[in-house]
């Protein structure tokens, strides 16, 4: 290729890139510039909005149980005091005034055994147990997993011999009744609560909470409220 031919090729390329851009190219450039500005300002968002979903734990029953146990603990750094516990108990067992005062301890993954009505030993592990001087609340939490063999029946008898008043609560996304109950006593004792109801009760407790709580603890409670919404089925 001669020098003249080579120069002619470079000249042609230069003319091609130096011509005014077509309207389509100009429009695309403006759209891209606007998109970059929106993204840089944090106004174009995607993905999950809550911490548990970001961590991939939004369907983890144990993680939910630990969060709920924390929120039900009156001395937790969420700063709700007894508000959520009292509101939840009044919603499920209205007029009974359960655990309105005195110290309360909240346990997770608590195993206990006791004899049933025919002296057969029953053992079960409860997801959450709220223990006070006047009452005990046994909570079974189900997000995706089904109930184990006679699970709620065993949970009833495992805690039925407590010297205090004992209540049993089945928590699930849609508030369904437990299906592993066989005795009349257990069927009468169990109550149900949905994650949607739990979210509404927590919303109420947060709205009524006093200022001055640990900011990080209060923020964690609000974050978990967003996680509840992703589990709830209304």
């Amino acid at each position: 290729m001669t020098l003249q031919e080579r120069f002619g090729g470079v000249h042609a390329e230069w003319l091609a890139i130096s011509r005014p851009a077509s309207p389509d190219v100009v429009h695309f450039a403006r759209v891209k510039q606007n998109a970059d500005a929106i993204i840089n300002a944090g106004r174009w968002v995607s993905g999950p909005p809550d911490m548990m979903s970001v961590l991939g734990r939004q369907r983890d029953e144990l993680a939910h149980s630990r969060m709920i146990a924390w929120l039900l603990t009156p001395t937790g750094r969420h700063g709700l005091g007894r508000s959520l516990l009292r509101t939840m108990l009044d919603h499920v067992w209205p007029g009974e005034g359960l655990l309105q005062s005195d110290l309360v301890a909240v346990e997770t993954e608590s195993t206990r055994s006791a004899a049933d009505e025919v002296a057969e030993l029953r053992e079960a592990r409860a997801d959450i147990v709220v223990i006070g001087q006047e009452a005990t609340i046994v909570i079974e939490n189900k997000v995706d997993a089904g109930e184990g063999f006679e699970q709620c029946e065993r949970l009833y008898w495992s805690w039925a011999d407590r010297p205090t008043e004992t209540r049993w609560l089945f928590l699930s996304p849609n508030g369904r009744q437990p299906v592993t109950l066989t005795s009349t006593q257990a069927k009468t004792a169990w109550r149900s609560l949905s994650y949607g109801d739990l979210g509404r009760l927590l919303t109420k407790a947060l709205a009524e909470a006093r200022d001055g709580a640990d900011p990080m603890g209060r923020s964690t409670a609000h974050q978990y409220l967003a996680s509840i919404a992703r589990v709830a089925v209304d």
Side-chain angles (χ1 to χ4, degrees), residues 24-105:
D24 289 340
V25 172
V26 173
H27 175 69
F28 178 78
R30 287 174 180 170
V31 170
K32 182 179 182 303
Q33 185 178 25
N34 290 338
D36 287 342
I38 294 171
I39 292 172
N40 292 341
R43 293 186 289 116
W44 187 337
V45 296
S46 61
D50 64 295
M51 188 186 308
M52 288 187 69
S53 295
V54 170
L55 296 174
R57 306 295 293 274
Q58 69 273 18
R59 311 299 296 188
D60 187 325
E61 288 178 3
L62 180 57
H64 280 284
S65 293
R66 288 174 174 169
M67 284 299 305
I68 294 166
W70 176 70
L71 289 166
L72 293 177
T73 302
T75 56
R77 289 189 178 275
H78 44 69
L80 299 176
R82 203 181 296 266
S83 178
L84 178 61
L85 176 62
R86 182 180 61 250
T87 303
M88 186 185 77
L89 296 181
D90 287 346
H91 176 81
V92 180
W93 294 278
E96 295 196 30
L98 298 169
L99 300 177
Q100 297 293 309
S101 60
D102 296 325
L103 296 177
V104 169

Side-chain angles (χ1 to χ4, degrees), residues 17 22 36 127 129 132 147 156:
I17 64 175
S22 69
D36 287 342
D127 292 323
V129 182
E147 295 165 56
Y156 171 77

Side-chain angles (χ1 to χ4, degrees), residues 210-215 218:
R210 296 180 179 178
D211 295 332
D214 182 327
R218 184 61 56 82

Side-chain angles (χ1 to χ4, degrees), residues 92-93 126-128 138-141 147 150-157 159 166-171 176-178 180-193:
V92 180
W93 294 278
D127 292 323
I128 306 169
V138 179
I139 302 174
E140 178 60 23
N141 179 29
E147 295 165 56
E150 293 187 343
Q151 185 174 16
C152 289
E153 183 73 18
R154 289 184 290 109
L155 278 167
Y156 171 77
W157 291 109
W159 268 267
T166 305
R167 300 288 185 273
W168 290 262
L169 178 62
F170 191 81
L171 175 64
R176 69 175 179 86
Q177 296 291 321
T180 53
L181 302 175
T182 56
S183 68
T184 301
Q185 296 95 318
K187 291 178 181 179
T188 302
W190 278 91
R191 298 288 185 273
S192 297
L193 183 72

